[in-house]
């Protein structure tokens, strides 16, 4: 039989095929070993891992396979029902101070930014022209009074003359009837008596005219006094002065030039808007008494200012769907400043005996919010709940949970309904490392936080 010697290429092909065959055999052996190992593990622990457990990189550690979690007990608290918005501070009243007379500004009795009291002297205007006007008005008044006296004297004189002329006219009429004197003489005396009587009437009219002139002069004097008083400008309110727009020595015009603005900051107002959906509740609770309002300036760690709701607008803003409210604050320490933005909290009422849990216990699912509740056998159940208002680090559970039940607050990502849990140590353990809630580090790993509010099983 002839013998064939393979070429170099054929030898290389055969070697590669042999290597591939050996690798495939090794892989099958390894797979078989893994399957056997998994079956042995399952057989050694009939309960098996709880559904959803060991979802991290490193799986679960420990012999029991329980999921380490932090828990807390649902408690009962009296929870305030509040509305929190951003508001704006505005002065209780703002006065624009203007001069009411024209003249030179001679004195300024305050500095810009000073707090002034009601009735305090702010400005003085040159009073000499107005003093002269007052003196002239007083002189005219005295002149009119003298004219009245003269008219009264004329009346007395003419009244006496009229009485004499009237008696003479009557005697001359008798004499004329007896033929002692002529009729012409009698008529002449009668004419003189009538003329004197008309003079008396004119004197009475002159007296009335003098009285009217005195009234006008008196009014002129009072007006001059008022104008003179305007040379001293006083503060109409308690408040803080702003920028001084006119300096000492300038001439100011009446009612055309703003000298300074005064803002009343004690008390002070905070204006804010709430959604119109809150209006029925606000009106309902306002019927029971004043609603408290708190205002806290931005980046201020001190206690917020306390006040009361004092104003509800008479219409809803149709463009924003909100209604304007105002709260009044005493502001004795001047913490609130006109124009600044503040965080406003309007308290409507106090919800009594509300069930609360830590915020982190509530999870979001496809069908709404749910929470993991720990049962007596240390397994968990996912229970649907209805949440209410948030209060600091807690949240109100309006339905689905009873006070005293234990809920999971940390470690939920490794849980499923029926999973068995293991509580972290009393010191709270530490947060897991890379891999999040399902990471391969067990309780007490580096980088964690203490389990505050942990319930005792």
């Amino acid at each position: 039989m002839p013998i064939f010697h393979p070429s170099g290429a054929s030898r290389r092909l055969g070697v590669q095929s042999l290597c591939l065959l050996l690798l495939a055999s090794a892989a099958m052996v390894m797979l078989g070993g893994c399957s056997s190992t998994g079956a042995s593990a399952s057989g050694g622990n009939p309960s098996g891992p709880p559904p959803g457990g060991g979802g991290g990189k490193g799986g679960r550690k420990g012999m029991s396979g329980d999921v380490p979690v932090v828990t807390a007990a649902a408690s009962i608290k009296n929870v305030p029902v509040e509305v929190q918005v951003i508001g704006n501070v505005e002065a209780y009243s703002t006065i624009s101070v203007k001069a009411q007379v024209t003249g030179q500004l001679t004195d300024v009795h305050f500095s810009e930014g000073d707090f002034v009291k009601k009735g305090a002297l702010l400005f003085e205007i040159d009073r000499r022209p107005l003093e002269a006007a007052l003196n002239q008005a007083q002189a005219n008044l005295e002149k009119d009074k003298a004219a009245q006296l003269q008219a009264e004297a004329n009346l007395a004189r003419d009244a006496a003359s009229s009485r004499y002329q009237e008696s003479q006219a009557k005697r001359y009429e008798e004499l004329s009837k007896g033929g002692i004197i002529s009729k012409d003489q009698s008529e002449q005396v009668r004419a003189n008596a009538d003329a004197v009587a008309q003079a008396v009437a004119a004197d009475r009219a002159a007296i009335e005219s003098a009285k009217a002139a005195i009234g006008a002069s008196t009014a002129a004097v009072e007006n001059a006094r008022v104008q003179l008083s305007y040379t001293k400008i006083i503060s109409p309110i308690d408040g803080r002065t702003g920028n001084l727009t006119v300096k000492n020595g300038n001439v100011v015009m009446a009612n055309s030039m703003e000298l300074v603005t005064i803002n009343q900051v004690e008390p002070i107002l905070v204006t804010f808007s709430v959604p119109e959906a809150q209006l029925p509740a606000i009106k309902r609770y306002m019927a029971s008494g004043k609603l408290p309002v708190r205002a806290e300036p931005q980046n201020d760690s001190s206690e917020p200012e306390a006040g009361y709701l004092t104003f509800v607008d008479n219409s809803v803003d149709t463009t924003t769907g909100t209604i304007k409210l105002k709260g009044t604050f005493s502001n004795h320490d001047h913490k609130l400043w006109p124009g600044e933005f503040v965080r406003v909290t309007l308290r409507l009422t106090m919800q009594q005996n509300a069930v609360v849990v830590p915020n982190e216990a509530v999870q979001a699912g496809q069908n709404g919010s749910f929470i993991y509740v720990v049962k007596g056998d240390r397994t968990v159940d996912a229970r649907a709940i209805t949440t209410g208002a948030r209060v600091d680090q807690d949240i109100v559970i309006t339905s689905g949970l009873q006070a005293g039940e234990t809920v999971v607050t940390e470690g939920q990502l490794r849980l499923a309904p029926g999973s068995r849990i293991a509580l972290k140590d009393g010191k709270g353990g530490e947060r897991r490392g890379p891999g999040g809630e399902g990471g391969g580090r067990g309780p007490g790993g580096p980088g964690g936080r203490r389990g505050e509010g942990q319930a005792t099983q």
Side-chain angles (χ1 to χ4, degrees), residues 64 75 145 253:
S64 66
S75 60
K145 288 180 178 180
M253 304 298 294

Side-chain angles (χ1 to χ4, degrees), residues 172-431:
Y172 271 72
E173 287 178 359
E174 295 295 330
L175 292 174
S176 175
K177 290 178 181 179
I180 300 175
I181 60 174
S182 65
K183 186 177 181 179
D184 181 64
Q185 288 178 326
S186 176
E187 291 178 351
Q188 185 177 4
V189 173
R190 167 55 58 186
N192 290 336
D194 291 342
V196 174
Q198 293 300 320
V200 171
D203 292 337
R204 290 195 176 96
I207 291 175
E208 296 300 323
S209 177
K211 289 181 179 180
I214 290 174
S217 297
T218 302
V221 170
E222 292 301 321
N223 181 63
R225 284 200 180 101
V226 171
Q227 295 296 314
L228 183 60
S229 68
Y230 289 156
T231 58
K232 291 185 176 182
I233 302 176
I234 62 175
S235 175
I237 60 172
D238 294 341
R240 181 183 173 92
T241 59
N243 179 47
L244 182 62
T245 59
V246 180
K247 306 301 181 181
N248 189 16
N250 287 280
V251 176
V252 296
M253 304 298 294
N255 301 316
S256 63
M257 194 175 297
E258 181 181 284
L259 304 180
V260 71
T261 300
I262 302 176
N263 285 333
Q264 185 176 355
V265 296
E266 291 185 49
I268 203 167
L269 299 176
V270 174
T271 302
F272 56 98
S273 297
V274 300
E276 58 182 326
Q278 299 285 350
L279 182 58
I282 292 174
K283 293 193 295 184
R284 182 171 67 254
Y285 292 121
M286 282 184 66
S288 302
K290 292 183 178 181
L291 298 184
V293 183
R294 300 193 308 274
E296 184 179 1
Q298 303 288 336
N299 301 321
D300 191 340
S301 59
S302 60
E303 288 295 322
E305 286 290 299
Y308 292 95
L309 182 66
T310 54
F311 171 78
V312 179
D313 206 354
N314 57 3
S315 63
V316 175
D317 189 343
T318 57
T319 59
T320 61
T322 59
I323 186 167
K324 181 186 292 185
L325 309 177
K326 290 184 180 181
T328 302
F329 299 79
S330 60
N331 199 33
H332 292 314
D333 56 357
H334 302 157
K335 183 186 296 184
L336 302 179
W337 212 245
E340 72 175 339
F341 290 94
V342 293
R343 293 185 292 270
V344 180
T345 302
L346 171 64
R347 176 171 294 184
L348 301 180
T349 186
M350 184 71 72
Q351 182 179 351
Q352 303 293 330
N353 300 325
V355 178
V356 297
V357 296
N359 288 327
E360 56 267 21
V362 178
Q363 303 294 303
Q366 294 180 352
N367 298 324
S369 298
F370 70 95
I371 199 166
Y372 282 110
V373 181
V374 181
K375 297 188 292 186
D377 57 355
R378 287 197 178 182
T379 60
V380 296
D381 182 26
R383 187 181 302 176
I385 58 170
T386 303
T387 60
R390 291 182 182 269
V391 184
D392 296 330
Q393 301 300 318
D394 296 332
I395 186 169
V396 177
I397 307 299
T398 57
S399 65
L401 189 68
Q402 299 296 325
E405 292 189 280
T406 302
V407 299
V408 178
T409 60
E410 183 179 340
Q412 295 96 326
L413 293 181
R414 302 181 62 187
L415 294 177
S419 297
R420 187 175 179 84
I421 65 168
L423 297 181
K424 291 186 177 182
D425 56 19
K427 296 182 179 179
E430 296 185 353
R431 188 184 299 273

Side-chain angles (χ1 to χ4, degrees), residues 66-270:
D66 296 343
V67 180
V69 297
V70 175
T71 61
S75 60
I76 291 181
K77 290 183 179 179
N78 295 332
V79 177
V81 179
E82 299 176 334
V83 179
Q84 295 183 345
V85 293
I86 298 297
N88 183 255
V89 182
E90 65 179 47
Y92 192 81
S93 62
T94 301
I95 302 299
S96 177
V97 180
K98 296 182 179 180
Q100 293 180 276
V101 292
T102 300
Q104 185 182 23
L105 196 63
T106 58
D107 289 294
V108 179
H109 295 274
F110 68 96
S111 299
E112 295 175 312
D114 283 351
F115 283 95
V116 294
K117 294 292 185 180
K118 182 178 180 180
L121 181 62
L122 302 178
F123 302 96
E124 284 191 83
I125 299 174
D126 187 8
R127 55 188 291 126
R128 292 173 299 176
L130 295 175
E131 285 177 341
L134 175 61
N135 293 334
Q136 183 178 0
Q138 289 174 334
N140 291 334
L141 175 61
E142 296 299 325
K143 178 181 177 181
D144 292 335
K145 288 180 178 180
Q148 180 183 2
L149 293 176
Q150 183 178 1
E152 290 173 349
N154 291 338
L155 175 61
R157 182 196 62 192
D158 292 341
S161 177
S162 176
R163 290 192 296 271
Y164 173 76
Q165 292 295 333
E166 183 65 25
S167 63
Q168 285 292 96
K170 289 179 179 180
R171 286 196 296 271
Y172 271 72
E173 287 178 359
E174 295 295 330
L175 292 174
S176 175
K177 290 178 181 179
I180 300 175
I181 60 174
S182 65
K183 186 177 181 179
D184 181 64
Q185 288 178 326
S186 176
E187 291 178 351
Q188 185 177 4
V189 173
R190 167 55 58 186
N192 290 336
D194 291 342
V196 174
Q198 293 300 320
V200 171
D203 292 337
R204 290 195 176 96
I207 291 175
E208 296 300 323
S209 177
K211 289 181 179 180
I214 290 174
S217 297
T218 302
V221 170
E222 292 301 321
N223 181 63
R225 284 200 180 101
V226 171
Q227 295 296 314
L228 183 60
S229 68
Y230 289 156
T231 58
K232 291 185 176 182
I233 302 176
I234 62 175
S235 175
I237 60 172
D238 294 341
R240 181 183 173 92
T241 59
N243 179 47
L244 182 62
T245 59
V246 180
K247 306 301 181 181
N248 189 16
N250 287 280
V251 176
V252 296
M253 304 298 294
N255 301 316
S256 63
M257 194 175 297
E258 181 181 284
L259 304 180
V260 71
T261 300
I262 302 176
N263 285 333
Q264 185 176 355
V265 296
E266 291 185 49
I268 203 167
L269 299 176
V270 174

